[in-house]
Each structure stands twice: as structure tokens, then as C-alpha cells.
Amino acid sequence: DELRKWFHKDKENRYKEFTAKYKKELVGKKVAARELLGKYKKITLVTAVKDVEHSHIPTLTDFLNKL
């Protein structure tokens, strides 16, 4: 996806902007996320990211926890 490709070209300088853009992307998927969370009692996120703190994971978990 284009957002992730853009982010990976300069992670250090683009993290804050990436987070803002990713949040907007997630808002568009709220209905689908709620359906998944309603269907399953527990979900597990799996990633190969080496620097979890500076990746999409904190933004995603924050989004899911607020649903």
C-alpha cells in the first residue's frame, strides 16, 4: 500500500505524519473493525516489525481499544 511504502522510505522523519494519515485510514474501516471485534472475543495481532513502538501497531491497537 502506498502509505506504508511512503513511510518506510524515511521512518524517522515521517512517523508523526504517517500516524495521522493511518488514523484517517482506520476511521474508514470502523464498521468492519467493529464487526470483527463483535464476532470474536479475542483477537491477536501478529507482526514482523522490528521497532513496534515506531510502527503502525500503537496506532492500530489504540484504534481497536477505542471501538
Side-chain angles (χ1 to χ4, degrees):
D1 134 286
E2 293 302 314
L3 178 59
R4 281 144 197 80
K5 287 179 187 176
W6 169 83
F7 171 59
H8 285 283
K9 288 181 182 178
D10 187 5
K11 291 180 188 180
E12 281 187 35
N13 294 312
R14 294 181 176 175
Y15 182 71
K16 191 172 183 176
E17 188 176 352
F18 167 77
T19 301
K21 289 180 178 187
Y22 187 49
K23 283 179 186 178
K24 287 181 184 177
E25 186 179 293
L26 290 172
V27 168
K29 299 178 182 185
K30 227 178 216 184
V31 172
R34 280 193 179 127
E35 287 176 8
L36 278 175
L37 291 174
K39 188 175 179 179
Y40 301 100
K41 291 183 180 182
K42 182 178 179 180
I43 61 169
T44 302
L45 301 177
V46 179
T47 185
V49 175
K50 292 179 181 165
D51 183 7
V52 173
E53 192 174 312
H54 296 100
S55 72
H56 67 290
I57 297 297
T59 305
L60 178 58
T61 54
D62 183 55
F63 169 76
L64 293 172
N65 286 329
K66 289 180 179 177
L67 289 179

